[in-house]
Amino acid sequence: MNNLIQHKHLKSLYLFFCIFLITSISSDELFKNNDNLNGDDSTFKDFLNWQFNSDKPDRIAIELSDEFNSSTLLPKSYAVWVGHASYLINNSNITIITDPIYSNRASPVSFIGPKRMIPPGISYEKLPFIDVVTVSHAHYDHLDIPTLKKLYDKNNATLFLVPMKLGKLLKSSGIKNVVEMNWWDTLKVKDTLITFVPVHHWSSRTPFDKNKTLWGGWWFDSPSLQLVHLGDTGYTNDFKLINQELGIPDVAFIPIGAYEPRNIMKDSHLNPQEAVQAALDLEAKLALSMHWGTFMLTDEPVLDPPKQLERELKRIGKETLFLTPKPGEIISLE
């Protein structure tokens, strides 16, 4: 009984922390979305009503694949969903991992906060040499310092690319090979030109730093492939802008989960229908889903995102546009 009371107390403290993150607005915010909105247009009342009146969905472990962990022969270029927004990508020129998180919780503390429903689709020991780590923004489910430190300790030649004003956090954790990038900044790694692109979101890690660090997505342009990873985003005209400025991606990595209740999440997260429209706006040849089935962050049933996605693709007659791979499954990009 005492343990139950303690657990409820910890949950209340964590909720209080989350409320601060959602509602804290500093007078010297540095970054805004392209439409000048802050990416969080829901009200404090909306948030409280959601937290105290919603029925959380059942925790369900989605199906994993052991294909990468057991593979001895890989395609020349491939992508593997590790979980959440994390993909291991080889474009036949460099190896990239996006928003890596191997921690058990997406949280500033190890004992409370969103807990993994599945293990990473690639065991840490099976990760290959990583040329580039990209971080889309500061939220704990996308920027996991313990994982980044492990990757740096494994190979201090790995390059860590982060949005503006996030370099200090990594460097203070002992990660030295860090480059900050603003929207449309470019950096060449071997024969791959990397561009940081705008998406519609927001950032925070404490009650006092809302939007003081930038957010965005990553475009990878190599001689054989053009790829884009959208990080975390609401629906925006930025996708059309990316297409106009950089061209047509061969593969777009697009979030499809964490979208209910809609009045709270619409400005921060795509629902599956909007994810399909994002792929169409980009004119992507292929889209791969992410940002579902790993952490329970919102109210939609765990298995709802791919079902909604499939329904929308059938409605518009584009069934082959979007794939929903299993974590650990190898997707050939050749």
Side-chain angles (χ1 to χ4, degrees), residues 29-250:
E29 289 176 349
L30 298 179
F31 298 106
K32 292 182 181 293
N33 290 296
N34 273 337
D35 57 9
N36 291 322
L37 297 176
N38 291 326
D40 180 23
D41 298 330
S42 58
T43 66
F44 182 43
K45 181 180 178 181
D46 291 333
F47 180 77
L48 288 180
N49 183 61
W50 169 46
Q51 284 297 311
F52 290 106
N53 295 295
S54 67
D55 293 324
K56 297 302 179 186
D58 295 333
R59 290 178 62 87
I60 296 174
I62 66 174
E63 186 178 356
L64 279 72
S65 169
D66 195 47
E67 186 177 8
F68 187 90
N69 286 334
S70 60
S71 178
T72 57
L73 183 63
L74 294 170
K76 187 177 180 181
S77 55
Y78 60 85
V80 182
W81 187 33
V82 185
H84 205 49
S86 182
Y87 265 91
L88 177 70
I89 303 167
N90 189 304
N91 67 352
S92 76
N93 181 239
I94 60 173
T95 301
I96 306 148
I97 192 166
T98 64
D99 290 354
I101 175 167
Y102 274 75
S103 293
N104 194 41
R105 294 185 186 271
S107 171
V109 292
S110 62
F111 52 88
I112 200 166
K115 187 176 182 180
R116 300 189 77 100
M117 295 182 288
I118 57 167
I122 300 175
S123 65
Y124 182 80
E125 294 74 20
K126 293 288 185 178
L127 284 174
F129 174 91
I130 304 294
D131 294 291
V132 174
V133 173
T134 60
V135 173
S136 63
H137 64 291
H139 290 154
Y140 286 91
D141 54 325
H142 293 259
L143 196 170
D144 183 55
I145 287 294
T147 298
L148 299 185
K149 288 174 66 175
K150 284 181 69 175
L151 289 168
Y152 180 75
D153 290 342
K154 185 174 184 176
N155 183 1
N156 58 23
T158 297
L159 179 64
F160 293 77
L161 301 184
V162 300
M164 291 294 292
K165 303 297 183 180
L166 267 176
K168 183 178 179 181
L169 174 63
L170 272 67
K171 290 175 181 177
S172 68
S173 301
I175 303 168
K176 298 179 181 178
N177 201 17
V178 182
V179 175
E180 288 185 350
M181 295 178 69
N182 205 344
W183 288 343
W184 306 115
D185 283 352
T186 62
L187 179 72
K188 196 164 189 179
V189 180
K190 296 183 181 178
D191 290 327
T192 298
L193 186 66
I194 303 173
T195 304
F196 192 48
V197 295
V199 300
H200 187 108
H201 204 57
W202 62 292
S203 69
S204 183
R205 285 179 78 80
T206 77
F208 313 106
D209 67 344
K210 183 180 177 182
N211 293 351
K212 290 187 178 181
T213 63
L214 191 55
W215 53 87
W218 297 96
W219 179 279
F220 307 96
D221 189 348
S222 71
S224 58
L225 283 171
Q226 289 186 312
L227 313 172
V228 65
H229 182 279
L230 294 184
D232 210 352
T233 181
Y235 184 73
T236 171
N237 285 328
D238 286 331
F239 310 136
K240 293 179 181 179
L241 180 62
I242 292 168
N243 172 254
Q244 291 167 9
E245 294 293 325
L246 299 175
I248 296 173
D250 295 294

